[in-house]
Amino acid sequence: MKKQILFVLLFATSFQIFSQEPKKLNSNQIYEKIQKLNFLGTALYVAAHPDDENTRLISYLSNKIKARTAYLSLTRGDGGQNLIGPEIRELLGVIRTQELLAARGVDGGEQLFTRANDFGYSKHPDETLDIWDEEKVLGDVVWAIRNFKPDVIINRFDHRTPGTTHGHHTTSAMLSMEAFDLVGDKSKYPEQLKYTDTWQPKRLFFNTSWWFYGSQERFKKATKGNPKFISMDVGVYYPLKGLSNNEIAAIASSQHLCQGFGRLTTRGSQPEYVEFLKGEAPRDSSDIFAGINTTWNRVEGGGEIGDILYDIEKNFDFVNPSKHLPQLLKAYSKITLLKDSHWKSIKLPQIVEIIEACAGLYLEASASSSSAVPSSEISINIEALSRNPNTNIVLESTSFITDKILTVVKDMDLVNNQRQRFAQKLKLGDLNYTDPYWLTSKWSLGMYRVEDQTMIGKPETPRIAKVAFNLSIDEYKISIEKDVVYRYSKRDKGELYEPFEILPRVTTKLKEKVILFTNNEPKKVVVSVKSGANKVKGALELSAPNGWKVSPKFIDVSIEQKGDEQSFEFTVTPSNNESEGKLQAQVIIDGKKYHKELVEINYSHIPKQSVLLDSEAKVVRLDIKRGGNFIGYIKGAGDAIPESLEQIGYKVKSINPEEINAENLKQFDAIVVGIRAYNTVSELKYKQKFLLDYVENGGNMIVQYNTSRRVDVGAPFSLSLSRDRVTDENAKVTILEKNHSVMNFPNQITEKDFEGWVQERGLYFPNQWSSEYVPILSMQDKGETAKKGSLLIAKYGKGNYIYTGLSFFRELPAGVSGAYKLFANMLSVGKESVIVNEKIKQ
């Protein structure tokens, strides 16, 4: 009797890590996928930032319990620091998004977000919710729960302790608690119900530990005999993986490289605790899913499916997984008929992935280049291969999916281990560019703007170019969809994969993001133009603020080859008086304006990312003076301060720490140590004696902030770092030493120079220091005591040692005038007499 013919087109889920090397499952992995297929329970972990998540617990829930598990991070970590490169703010958020996806790729979880923008450290939820749009972020949490439909929710932080940790942390728990009571109410956020249904999780927990209680003793006292606390041993070993849960968790956590989270793996028994907060209390104090039906009987019609799949799990053949294909196909056909659309949408992709692996299928769609422009023609190379001699598999057609669907009939038998390859030309329509969706509209300090409700919460923009392989497997019709990728090789790296992207026909970039004019003299401004296609011709224009002049008005651009980049020069004349504004570059082609800059982020631990930002630079006309000329810079965790100092006329040379010696340092008028250098550059502790000798002999040394954890900055006098910080960038600044040279030479510094700062005043200020240091400034956040450690200066021998926690690494790249003047003064400390003597000689 002929089997029922079924056709289901499976679209990639929003949680897929797009365009990476295709998964090739071995027998152990197939078996684990079947175990996960047979567990119908869901857990949602909630916190505020990338790296907040407890990878031990996420991995345990996903790999031991087999629950569908996701991490809801309210932000993308945009406000933090970057240990691996210069990207900060929104570009850092792109990196941390991908690092989260990489972590979930290790621990087996999925990833969700809200539209909240990480504006930097916050000391209280009140401040956090003043800057975030509370109603929208709460709505996004409700949206995540309604879509993901978790049985249990676990908060990383305690909602009951505002003001004791990062305000974002506590806020994430507070919003989760509130959302728990709203998600089942149709009157709350009713606009969401056009796309999803209400939902009610069974229970909510807090992932507690002794750390929240201050000591092991207090924690034991609070938890002993208390039924609200559940303990799990997350140190379990997985023989099928050859790894313990803690090892997997450590590898997952180590994906957060831009935060310096690379760490050793650990093994052995380890307890993890959750505290029951609300909902239906679990019946078993050792199982957070106790009392929740997590079997196939949970869904109508699931019993028959379970009978098939539990039998496969029980009798799985690790040597020949393909023998289970008939049962898998039968179960697949029954899953397509489920009335429960939620579980159907989850279990169909899972079982299709298992069928694909058991059938020995390899399916790939690779473009001939990594990008294309809208309305162009591309070539897609198709590879289809079956490595299964006992199953009749036919590639009936391929559907090329972009803005439209082109189905090409093939009716091609996939003979065992005989590779089928062919190419297809495809005409693209006027497609949207590949770009992080949360960055396509102008955002605010606290929120990203996303109008499309269906996009909110997704980790990244779904790829627009896909190919569906429409197969007949023993007469069952199954469609398997693949993103189009770019596959290539390098002789020194081997086979590589990149996402296939839709990019503009042309992009522009101003070489400098902040351009300072210290007088009325014009400057040459370089604009580079990169072609996204062959034979690009147009007119390049650079617009300037009122009162500024640009010459010429247009420059003709002609680029023959895709990927080629050319540079062009404009002459920019500043206004007569101090002012600031933006230069904006664009190329006009056939009346269409191209005004985007292409930023490519390419690190080995995450997929290559293409970000399109407005092509612009901040210009500042600033009357600024400087002392000294030649600056030595010891790089720390990555910042753009050397380039910023060059803007005001300094010559800056990067110093290799290994080459620091007394003779090499003599050439510099000042030495600047980059942010977190003592945290990240181990050689400094061996070279500190040379640096201090340099100061003692008359040099000027500026040390920028370091984190307070396990670090010795080797200061000449006693200095204790703390976690003190002033997060309000508008906090009042009081000048304690108005007559000190750093406030007067060569630029007069007033409280007005602290206007217009971004994100924060500073961080990790010293809170104790010896009498040799002179505190220059005082500042404080609302409701706190004054912090006087942001700028300390000590005379040491003939020179000056300066320690500052002020966030110059944010202010200078943002073009903050007062920050430039203050930094120039810091570099000039001790130079007054030198300049006076030079004037006398003249």
Side-chain angles (χ1 to χ4, degrees):
M1 182 176 177
K2 190 173 181 180
K3 297 175 182 176
Q4 183 182 10
I5 296 177
L6 302 167
F7 179 83
V8 177
L9 182 61
L10 298 176
F11 290 93
T13 67
S14 61
F15 308 106
Q16 182 181 350
I17 301 177
F18 295 105
S19 300
Q20 299 204 50
E21 183 177 352
K23 294 179 181 178
K24 303 165 187 174
L25 303 180
N26 59 40
S27 292
N28 286 0
Q29 292 169 320
I30 294 172
Y31 178 70
E32 290 180 307
K33 294 283 185 182
I34 292 171
Q35 288 181 309
K36 205 169 185 72
L37 180 66
N38 282 336
F39 190 91
L40 280 71
T42 307
L44 180 66
Y45 198 88
V46 180
H49 310 107
D51 84 5
D52 285 346
E53 80 273 26
N54 183 343
T55 54
R56 293 186 304 273
L57 189 50
I58 290 175
S59 178
Y60 179 83
L61 293 170
S62 179
N63 295 297
K64 175 61 177 177
I65 305 298
K66 305 301 180 185
R68 183 180 181 228
T69 308
Y71 172 41
L72 172 60
S73 177
L74 267 58
T75 76
R76 296 175 185 267
D78 328 72
Q81 288 88 50
N82 185 358
L83 287 180
I84 62 174
E87 298 88 356
I88 58 174
R89 290 301 311 154
E90 65 277 357
L91 295 179
L92 179 59
V94 173
I95 293 174
R96 291 189 172 182
T97 294
Q98 291 301 318
E99 289 183 339
L100 275 173
L101 287 171
R104 299 294 79 77
V106 173
D107 61 33
E110 301 174 14
Q111 188 61 50
L112 299 168
F113 293 96
T114 75
R115 289 171 291 177
N117 189 348
D118 178 3
F119 55 83
Y121 193 86
S122 174
K123 294 182 177 178
H124 199 279
D126 290 346
E127 180 198 26
T128 298
L129 294 173
D130 280 344
I131 297 175
W132 289 351
D133 187 322
E134 180 177 359
E135 182 181 359
K136 287 182 179 177
V137 180
L138 175 60
D140 290 355
V141 177
V142 170
W143 170 253
I145 296 171
R146 284 175 171 174
N147 277 318
F148 194 67
K149 294 181 170 37
D151 298 302
V152 297
I153 298 175
I154 304 172
N155 291 342
R156 182 68 179 105
F157 299 104
D158 192 346
H159 66 285
R160 298 161 293 196
T161 56
T164 61
T165 183
H166 198 319
H168 296 178
H169 292 171
T170 311
T171 299
S172 70
M174 292 167 59
L175 294 180
S176 176
M177 287 285 289
E178 188 173 355
F180 186 90
D181 297 326
L182 300 180
V183 290
D185 188 341
K186 290 185 177 181
S187 68
K188 307 300 182 184
Y189 300 99
E191 69 280 0
Q192 297 179 0
L193 301 181
K194 298 176 185 177
Y195 312 100
T196 191
D197 301 316
T198 58
W199 179 253
Q200 187 55 59
K202 291 291 185 181
R203 53 192 66 128
L204 175 65
F205 297 95
F206 160 45
N207 183 196
T208 188
S209 72
W210 70 265
W211 186 86
F212 291 97
Y213 286 77
S215 71
Q216 295 276 9
E217 292 71 25
R218 290 179 183 173
F219 185 63
K220 287 179 181 178
K221 184 178 180 181
T223 58
K224 187 176 181 180
N226 191 334
K228 287 189 174 183
F229 291 86
I230 293 177
S231 174
M232 295 163 278
D233 183 356
V234 297
V236 295
Y237 176 68
Y238 303 123
L240 291 175
K241 298 178 183 293
L243 293 169
S244 69
N245 189 73
N246 284 343
E247 288 174 299
I248 294 170
I251 296 169
S253 181
S254 291
Q255 302 308 304
H256 296 299
L257 294 183
C258 74
Q259 301 184 71
F261 266 53
R263 59 190 178 95
L264 293 171
T265 57
T266 60
R267 287 148 291 279
S269 177
Q270 181 170 352
E272 194 70 50
Y273 296 88
V274 294
E275 177 189 357
F276 173 72
L277 296 178
K278 65 166 58 176
E280 180 185 295
R283 300 172 186 174
D284 183 343
S285 60
S286 63
D287 181 6
I288 63 172
F289 283 96
I292 300 171
N293 187 352
T294 59
T295 71
W296 273 103
N297 288 322
R298 177 173 189 160
V299 296
E300 183 181 348
E304 293 180 354
I305 299 169
D307 289 342
I308 299 170
L309 295 177
Y310 293 136
D311 182 69
I312 295 175
E313 180 179 348
K314 182 179 179 181
N315 299 291
F316 186 72
D317 189 333
F318 287 87
V319 175
N320 181 27
S322 65
K323 86 171 197 180
H324 300 294
L325 271 175
Q327 291 172 285
L328 287 167
L329 291 165
K330 184 178 180 181
Y332 162 78
S333 70
K334 292 182 179 297
I335 292 174
T336 63
L337 301 176
L338 285 177
K339 294 179 181 179
D340 189 319
S341 60
H342 171 67
W343 283 111
K344 179 179 175 179
S345 68
I346 294 168
K347 295 304 176 181
L348 269 178
Q350 289 181 0
I351 195 168
V352 167
E353 182 182 23
I354 294 168
I355 290 171
E356 180 183 359
C358 287
L361 285 167
Y362 182 85
L363 307 170
E364 182 182 275
S366 177
S368 55
S369 66
S370 62
S371 67
V373 302
S375 304
S376 65
E377 185 177 74
I378 63 172
S379 178
I380 299 179
N381 299 309
I382 298 297
E383 180 176 342
L385 174 67
S386 169
R387 290 159 289 193
N388 184 343
N390 301 316
T391 305
N392 179 31
I393 303 177
V394 178
L395 177 61
E396 296 188 337
S397 65
T398 49
S399 296
F400 297 86
I401 306 165
T402 53
D403 54 323
K404 54 186 178 295
I405 299 178
L406 171 65
T407 299
V408 179
V409 176
K410 285 296 175 184
D411 201 24
M412 181 182 293
D413 288 332
L414 298 185
V415 180
N416 178 47
N417 215 27
Q418 298 298 308
R419 183 172 57 166
Q420 299 288 353
R421 301 180 71 188
F422 58 92
Q424 177 66 44
K425 297 286 187 181
L426 188 64
K427 177 69 174 177
L428 301 177
D430 189 17
L431 302 173
N432 292 330
Y433 299 136
T434 302
D435 200 16
Y437 70 88
W438 63 96
L439 298 179
T440 56
S441 297
K442 193 62 182 176
W443 56 91
S444 68
L445 174 65
M447 293 296 296
Y448 285 111
R449 181 182 169 192
V450 182
E451 300 298 337
D452 184 350
Q453 181 67 52
T454 63
M455 291 297 293
I456 293 172
K458 292 185 178 183
E460 56 185 348
T461 306
R463 298 286 162 180
I464 198 168
K466 304 173 184 294
V467 172
F469 293 80
N470 305 317
L471 302 161
S472 172
I473 304 178
D474 281 348
E475 299 186 37
Y476 286 89
K477 306 295 185 181
I478 297 180
S479 182
I480 301 175
E481 193 175 278
K482 301 290 183 180
D483 289 323
V484 175
V485 297
Y486 174 53
R487 182 169 70 103
Y488 64 106
S489 67
K490 285 188 175 181
R491 294 181 67 180
D492 59 338
K493 292 184 179 180
E495 185 177 61
L496 298 170
Y497 284 81
E498 285 185 13
F500 173 73
E501 301 179 320
I502 307 299
L503 298 174
R505 189 171 186 81
V506 66
T507 54
T508 62
K509 179 181 180 179
L510 285 95
K511 182 179 179 182
E512 306 292 345
K513 293 307 174 189
V514 175
I515 307 172
L516 270 71
F517 292 77
T518 58
N519 52 43
N520 293 333
E521 295 298 316
K523 281 188 175 184
K524 297 292 185 181
V525 173
V526 177
V527 180
S528 62
V529 179
K530 186 172 184 178
S531 174
N534 293 328
K535 300 186 183 301
V536 169
K537 292 185 178 181
L540 175 63
E541 178 185 26
L542 185 66
S543 60
N546 291 333
W548 295 60
K549 297 178 182 178
V550 175
S551 177
K553 186 172 179 61
F554 294 100
I555 297 177
D556 289 334
V557 174
S558 179
I559 304 178
E560 286 297 310
Q561 290 188 333
K562 175 183 177 179
D564 193 12
E565 190 169 3
Q566 298 180 10
S567 295
F568 303 90
E569 279 190 353
F570 290 88
T571 299
V572 177
T573 304
S575 61
N576 292 324
N577 302 316
E578 287 194 350
S579 66
E580 60 182 52
K582 290 182 179 179
L583 295 178
Q584 295 178 309
Q586 63 180 7
V587 175
I588 304 171
I589 302 175
D590 297 330
K592 184 173 181 178
K593 297 178 179 179
Y594 294 85
H595 58 88
K596 291 293 185 180
E597 173 188 348
L598 173 61
V599 180
E600 294 182 328
I601 301 173
N602 202 358
Y603 293 102
S604 60
H605 66 300
I606 59 174
K608 179 181 177 182
Q609 299 296 298
S610 297
V611 185
L612 296 170
L613 302 176
D614 289 336
S615 181
E616 59 187 27
K618 184 175 182 179
V619 286
V620 181
R621 168 67 176 89
L622 174 64
D623 291 324
I624 187 171
K625 304 177 184 65
R626 58 185 174 82
N629 180 55
F630 194 24
I631 308 300
Y633 200 92
I634 302 171
K635 292 184 178 180
D639 59 60
I641 286 181
E643 296 85 348
S644 299
L645 296 179
E646 289 172 345
Q647 286 281 340
I648 54 177
Y650 284 105
K651 181 181 178 182
V652 184
K653 181 180 179 181
S654 178
I655 301 175
N656 183 343
E658 295 179 355
E659 298 175 358
I660 294 175
N661 57 52
E663 193 62 32
N664 286 346
L665 297 181
K666 287 181 180 179
Q667 61 185 311
F668 300 112
D669 295 313
I671 301 293
V672 180
V673 182
I675 61 173
R676 300 177 73 171
Y678 290 94
N679 295 122
T680 60
V681 183
S682 60
E683 292 90 344
L684 275 183
K685 62 184 176 182
Y686 306 113
K687 301 293 184 177
Q688 189 68 10
K689 60 182 179 180
F690 298 114
L691 293 169
L692 293 182
D693 286 347
Y694 164 81
V695 178
E696 190 172 21
N697 292 327
N700 188 8
M701 179 177 173
I702 299 171
V703 179
Q704 297 178 83
Y705 97 93
N706 290 266
T707 60
S708 58
R709 184 179 299 175
R710 297 187 296 275
V711 67
D712 179 8
V713 298
F717 309 109
S718 176
L719 185 73
S720 297
L721 303 186
S722 73
R723 297 182 66 85
D724 286 353
R725 62 204 302 160
V726 176
T727 61
D728 182 358
E729 64 269 31
N730 299 309
K732 177 177 172 56
V733 175
T734 301
I735 300 174
L736 299 175
E737 297 289 335
K738 293 185 178 181
N739 295 324
H740 196 285
S741 65
V742 78
M743 292 289 108
N744 296 278
F745 178 82
N747 305 287
Q748 183 74 35
I749 302 295
T750 68
E751 292 178 3
K752 185 175 177 61
D753 288 302
F754 293 94
E755 295 177 2
W757 286 46
V758 298
Q759 185 160 327
E760 61 196 349
R761 290 294 188 196
L763 61 171
Y764 293 101
F765 297 161
N767 63 354
Q768 295 180 36
W769 52 85
S770 65
S771 59
E772 287 85 357
Y773 295 98
V774 177
I776 304 298
L777 305 172
S778 175
M779 59 191 70
Q780 65 198 85
D781 281 323
K782 182 180 178 181
E784 294 194 354
T785 58
K787 305 294 185 289
K788 298 181 180 181
S790 64
L791 178 57
L792 302 174
I793 302 179
K795 192 72 177 175
Y796 182 61
K798 299 177 182 179
N800 295 276
Y801 178 90
I802 301 173
Y803 191 92
T804 179
L806 293 170
S807 60
F808 289 107
F809 73 102
R810 296 194 190 280
E811 311 312 322
L812 299 192
V816 177
S817 300
Y820 272 94
K821 291 168 65 177
L822 179 55
F823 209 101
N825 282 17
M826 290 161 54
L827 292 168
S828 304
V829 169
K831 301 291 191 298
E832 301 95 324
S833 59
V834 175
I835 292 179
V836 169
N837 290 335
E838 287 180 353
K839 287 183 177 179
I840 292 173
K841 291 178 182 179
Q842 292 173 358

